[in-house]
Amino acid sequence: MDTPRRIYFDYAATTPVDKRVMDAMMPYFMEEYGNANSLYALGRDAYRALEDARERFAKGIGATHPNEITFTGCGTESDNAALLGITARKSPKGGHVIVSKFEHHAILEPAHLLEKRGYEVTYLGPREDGIIHVEDLVAALRDDTVLVSIMHGNNEIGTIQPIKELAAAAHQRGALFHTDGAQTLGKIPFDVAELGVDAASFSGHKIYGPKGVGALYLKRGTPFEPQILGGGQESKKRSGTQNVPGVVGFTKALELMLEDQAEESPRLAALREKLTSGVIERLENTEQSTDVDPAHRMPNIASLLIKGVEGEAMLLQLDNLGIAVSTGSACSSGSLEPSHVLLSIGCPPEIAHGSLRVSMGRFTTETDVDYFLEVLPPIVERLRSMSPVYDRMFGSSAR
Ligand SMILES: Cc1ncc(COP(=O)(O)O)c(C=O)c1O
């Protein structure tokens, strides 16, 4: 019997660790296992590895000083720390904060906490094209705006935000600017100086690095109140014994991404175009979630709305064939609420339920895309033919 095919189309959720990353990490588990804060040779070696990684990581994102990089436990921690830590130090008694409506929950949840602590939070909506427009941010900014946080690339619909212009607008009104770069780091150019941001968050496991390591960029002089207190590691910004293998792996992963970016990004963009246009040609009542121009789309994320079917039903049928995809409607916690991201761009809830996110990466091939294009249409047609509402919603001519 043939081994069943396994096709991974969920690189935006996580990625496999690259063998070269694993090789770079290995010595730090069993041989160079010292605590980077210990004074004897084993500790000093670990410290050197940590600081060497910090320097290389800083270089990789265009930071001026290595100490602008704080290593954390994940992207979520970096996001939480940015929102809570900057506001707590810059304006401890409250003030106005702006976040976009389609941020990851790692930003939205601390934003809700800030509201409970007495801050006023504006949840700024993108337009239908999935972009936060600078004019809309300018209109929302106030004299008492402390911090603006808008993600670089959206993890569900894959749109890329005009961070440079948004950060400049925030600065003009005296506000600081944070961006969540978890989805874009290494995939498209990300240079903190070029973007002009004060703070940025990153996650190791989105770029073929290990899980459980993240980074927070804080431009020199950015006010920040530590959120994890203890032994004062990471220049007192994040206590806790550093994850040296994780940090070494994350840094190696970033360097590999940067080495490949010029070729990998157009390769993936071509696969994304082939997949989206292929699905739309083969299936009626199907479209991309936004019609923004390709320059504002992440190369690796295809976001489709397949009307009249439940995303989860498609996901499970594809899973039976060994294909892993994601749907925007059941987000991280497995809830059946329509995705807040799709709702934020004006997608009606009944359409949002039929969303499919296909995200590609280093090991995706054209053959994978061809196979997907072969198997998806019969699945959708079968589900539509069983649906009691499909005809009512789209008419018999739709099939
Ligand atoms: C945009 C964005 N921010 C933050 C995170 C959280 O990162 P982590 O899984 O490392 O906590 C993710 C991952 O799902 C993400 O896509």
Side-chain angles (χ1 to χ4, degrees):
M1 209 173 87
D2 288 345
T3 13
R5 277 179 99 120
R6 249 187 87 190
I7 299 180
Y8 187 67
F9 271 140
D10 206 11
Y11 284 84
T14 195
T15 57
V17 172
D18 190 291
K19 164 101 175 57
R20 294 163 292 177
V21 169
M22 197 66 203
D23 289 345
M25 291 170 69
M26 282 311 274
Y28 297 96
F29 285 108
M30 293 177 72
E31 292 142 38
E32 305 285 338
Y33 55 81
N35 183 322
N37 308 285
S38 300
L39 295 180
Y40 41 80
L42 204 57
R44 292 198 306 272
D45 288 348
Y47 177 80
R48 259 194 296 278
L50 180 67
E51 294 312 310
D52 173 62
R54 196 185 311 282
E55 209 175 306
R56 285 158 44 210
F57 196 97
K59 192 162 161 242
I61 63 162
T64 320
H65 304 283
N67 69 359
E68 292 177 319
I69 309 299
T70 301
F71 288 112
T72 66
C74 56
T76 298
E77 184 193 322
S78 302
D79 279 345
N80 276 237
L83 227 64
L84 302 175
I86 292 174
T87 50
R89 181 61 68 91
K90 183 161 189 246
S91 180
K93 296 208 165 74
H96 179 231
V97 171
I98 301 175
V99 303
S100 85
K101 274 189 186 163
F102 65 4
E103 291 300 308
H104 191 275
H105 289 288
I107 288 290
L108 292 177
E109 290 304 317
H112 297 329
L113 181 61
L114 284 176
E115 285 188 276
K116 284 192 199 139
R117 292 180 178 171
Y119 291 79
E120 238 186 284
V121 179
T122 297
Y123 296 89
L124 186 61
R127 295 199 190 166
E128 234 173 72
D129 57 2
I131 302 288
I132 304 285
H133 287 243
V134 180
E135 312 84 278
D136 298 339
L137 175 62
V138 168
L141 281 160
R142 307 189 327 207
D143 288 341
D144 66 340
T145 308
V146 182
L147 176 66
V148 177
S149 180
I150 296 173
M151 71 203 317
H152 191 206
N154 185 276
N155 50 304
E156 277 183 42
I157 55 176
T159 50
I160 299 168
Q161 306 308 311
I163 295 301
K164 187 176 177 174
E165 292 73 20
L166 294 166
H171 289 154
Q172 251 184 3
R173 290 296 291 270
L176 293 169
F177 194 93
H178 166 260
T179 191
D180 180 340
Q183 287 293 340
T184 49
L185 180 69
K187 293 170 197 156
I188 57 173
F190 191 108
D191 183 294
V192 288
E194 165 69 18
L195 295 175
V197 297
D198 303 292
S201 306
F202 311 105
S203 168
H205 72 98
K206 307 286 187 189
I207 58 167
Y208 314 92
K211 294 173 180 61
V213 62
L216 174 62
Y217 162 77
L218 286 169
K219 187 178 172 180
R220 256 194 178 177
T222 303
F224 179 74
E225 186 71 33
Q227 299 298 299
I228 298 191
L229 308 175
Q233 289 91 344
E234 296 294 287
S235 306
K236 299 200 169 65
K237 286 187 263 188
R238 198 273 187 184
S239 287
T241 301
Q242 287 98 337
N243 172 2
V244 177
V247 163
V248 167
F250 188 9
T251 303
K252 178 74 184 171
L254 172 59
E255 289 173 342
L256 292 172
M257 291 296 285
L258 297 176
E259 266 171 35
D260 277 2
Q261 194 180 79
E263 284 140 46
E264 186 65 351
S265 177
R267 184 186 81 86
L268 290 173
L271 290 179
R272 181 203 63 209
E273 283 308 302
K274 177 173 174 146
L275 188 136
T276 31
S277 58
V279 171
I280 291 166
E281 270 161 30
R282 286 167 179 75
L283 284 167
E284 286 177 302
N285 292 312
T286 297
E287 62 192 24
Q288 298 198 73
S289 58
T290 65
D291 60 6
V292 71
D293 63 286
H296 289 99
R297 286 185 198 284
M298 302 253 316
N300 61 320
I301 298 184
S303 171
L304 292 157
L305 297 172
I306 300 179
K307 297 177 190 170
V309 276
E310 288 291 327
E312 284 73 24
M314 284 186 281
L315 183 153
L316 294 175
Q317 302 255 346
L318 288 166
D319 185 39
N320 282 339
L321 298 172
I323 301 176
V325 294
S326 149
T327 151
S329 62
C331 69
S332 46
S333 61
S335 95
L336 289 179
E337 288 296 302
S339 141
H340 71 284
V341 174
L342 292 170
L343 297 183
S344 80
I345 56 169
C347 180
E350 66 279 10
I351 306 275
H353 276 298
S355 73
L356 211 56
R357 178 187 73 179
V358 183
S359 52
M360 295 172 268
R362 192 167 285 166
F363 307 107
T364 310
T365 63
E366 198 162 352
T367 318
D368 297 338
V369 173
D370 287 335
Y371 183 56
F372 182 79
L373 291 175
E374 189 188 312
V375 301
L376 183 72
I379 290 177
V380 172
E381 273 151 19
R382 202 164 52 245
L383 290 169
R384 280 178 174 170
S385 72
M386 292 179 330
S387 161
V389 294
Y390 183 69
D391 267 340
R392 199 161 7 107
M393 280 171 78
F394 301 104
S396 50
S397 65
R399 199 169 297 156

